[in-house]
Amino acid sequence: MKVLVVGSGGREHALCWAIAKSSRCTKLYCAPGNPGIAAVAECVEVAPEDLDGVVAFARDHAVDFVVVGPEAPLVAGLGDRLAAAGIAVFGPSQAAAEIEGSKTLMKDLCAKYGIATANYARFDEPDAAKEYIRARGAPIVVKANGLAAGKGVTVCHNVNEAYAAIDHVMTEQTFGTSGDEVVIEQYLEGEEVSFFALVDGARAIPFGACQDHKARDDGDKGPNTGGMGAYSPTPLVSPALEREIMARCILPMAKGLVVEGKPYRGVLFAGLMMTPDGPKVLEYNARFGDPECQVLMARLKSDALEALYACATGRLDRIVVDWRAEAALTVVMAAKGYPGSYEKGTEILGLAEAEEIEGVYVFHAGTRRENGRLLATGGRVLGVTALGATVAEAQRNAYEAVDRIRWPGGFCRRDIGWRAIRRAG
Ligand code: AMP
Ligand code: GLY
């Protein structure tokens, strides 16, 4: 099978790394990829947002299967375009991807299909939104309706912060039309879990649960980021809870989307808050998480290509997904300054030494090669991933690898996995 992966981050590096190991993969392309991906796939200069370009490349190179990493091209309709060209695609249609692309649609579907989520109201007018905030008080959560590169959600600890968030999203239109409407919701307290399922219409199978660290600093302090590290499995999700999440949060949405005439195909990523009343859905995403995908691919024992292809072609009933017994943990190394502004072009050394450690893989997220030197180009730059018998051992291995990487321009958290490790005693 000739396969094309779309995207250029750590998630796509992990997908390429896993797919390249499949005996069914005869050729692997990545559009546009990165220097880490170049070690396992042929990188081609096509941007993920260039839907015509991706479809033309796939057709001209007789690609059998396209795996779409990021949400933006899916929300723009890449899945539909590839399907119309007769090319198998892992990733939902534009209509189904709206589950991530529109918070108001997501909330309305949760209400319609009885899925537990935070109480909410939606507004298309700032004064009414502020009036609601005044009546409700803080803490409260303000969300831009549309995609905002992971920056559209503000957890507000007082009402002034919430008014400022409304101004930011609606009045200043920081995220453009994504902020024409907002969802204001009840603040939920608890631990978060990233839950993944492969979905094919009304059928779904679990595909791993992780915990992600969204805050920049140790102790889960500091500003929110795209994710500073992740690990799997999580002690929070027992086999019984996994069944409950499938029954209450995944299958009702999959079946609901079929009823709505928007059957979902691909990975459905539910961001869950574990509350005293059980799991509640914070968001659905139409893609793998980043860095969650890195730990999932490290733990996946089954053939990744077979699993994704079975999902994309409606044959989920024919596969069994096996995971390694070990835990996997990813430490994200980011450029100093991230998630604010940061310097680009600083040099990274020592990756080969880091990867000499058994069970360690360094996934590239924001790197570029220039005259043989590896340079940082993004905010999140590397995902140092390790296996271990326990989360604690995976953590030790990951930080041993981190300490072999020589990159003065970068930083990372030193406590990824702390909740699981504390729980294990
Ligand atoms: P979202 O993109 O909707 O998942 O929101 C991003 C992050 O904001 C989540 O991962 C949570 O940490 C936080 N968040 C979102 N909604 C809520 C909520 N209702 N209560 C508490 N925290 C939330
Ligand atoms: N790490 C969270 C996400 O990918 O949305």
Side-chain angles (χ1 to χ4, degrees), residues 11 212 214 226-227 269 283 285 287-292 380:
R11 168 181 48 211
D212 170 20
K214 286 219 167 80
F269 162 10
E283 62 170 345
N285 295 308
R287 52 171 175 86
F288 282 108
D290 188 337
E292 288 95 328
R380 293 191 294 169

Side-chain angles (χ1 to χ4, degrees), residues 286-349:
R287 52 171 175 86
F288 282 108
D290 188 337
E292 288 95 328
C293 189
Q294 289 84 317
V295 296
L296 291 181
M297 292 304 124
R299 277 196 68 222
L300 184 63
K301 204 156 121 191
S302 306
D303 185 308
L305 177 55
E306 227 157 74
L308 303 184
Y309 191 69
C311 176
T313 53
R315 295 190 174 86
L316 271 186
D317 53 330
R318 302 208 197 151
I319 59 158
V320 177
V321 175
D322 278 327
W323 301 93
R324 290 168 169 275
E326 294 107 309
L329 182 139
T330 296
V331 175
V332 169
M333 297 184 77
K336 283 178 184 163
Y338 174 80
S341 60
Y342 49 82
E343 196 183 337
K344 291 190 180 177
T346 55
E347 186 171 12
I348 304 165
L349 292 165

Side-chain angles (χ1 to χ4, degrees), residues 249-293:
C249 306
I250 301 293
L251 286 164
M253 184 51 82
K255 290 177 181 161
L257 285 167
V258 172
V259 173
E260 300 291 316
K262 308 171 181 179
Y264 193 96
R265 251 184 201 177
V267 62
L268 185 62
F269 162 10
L272 304 172
M273 190 66 93
M274 298 297 152
T275 76
D277 308 327
K280 292 194 176 177
V281 178
L282 293 177
E283 62 170 345
Y284 289 102
N285 295 308
R287 52 171 175 86
F288 282 108
D290 188 337
E292 288 95 328
C293 189

Side-chain angles (χ1 to χ4, degrees), residues 120-202:
Y120 70 103
R122 37 190 290 193
F123 297 93
D124 56 11
E125 205 272 307
D127 288 338
K130 288 182 183 172
E131 189 53 47
Y132 180 81
I133 291 165
R134 199 164 10 251
R136 286 281 158 147
I140 197 159
V141 182
V142 175
K143 302 186 175 187
N145 178 41
L147 292 183
K151 299 191 180 89
V153 174
T154 317
V155 176
C156 308
H157 302 284
N158 57 60
V159 291
N160 286 328
E161 253 180 74
Y163 297 154
I166 294 291
D167 288 337
H168 193 58
V169 169
M170 300 193 90
T171 316
E172 294 154 28
Q173 298 182 305
T174 310
F175 309 114
T177 55
S178 284
D180 286 352
E181 214 174 344
V182 293
V183 166
I184 301 180
E185 66 178 41
Q186 168 200 16
Y187 172 78
L188 297 176
E189 194 138 14
E191 261 186 75
E192 282 183 65
V193 166
S194 299
F195 189 91
F196 298 85
L198 297 182
V199 176
D200 147 33

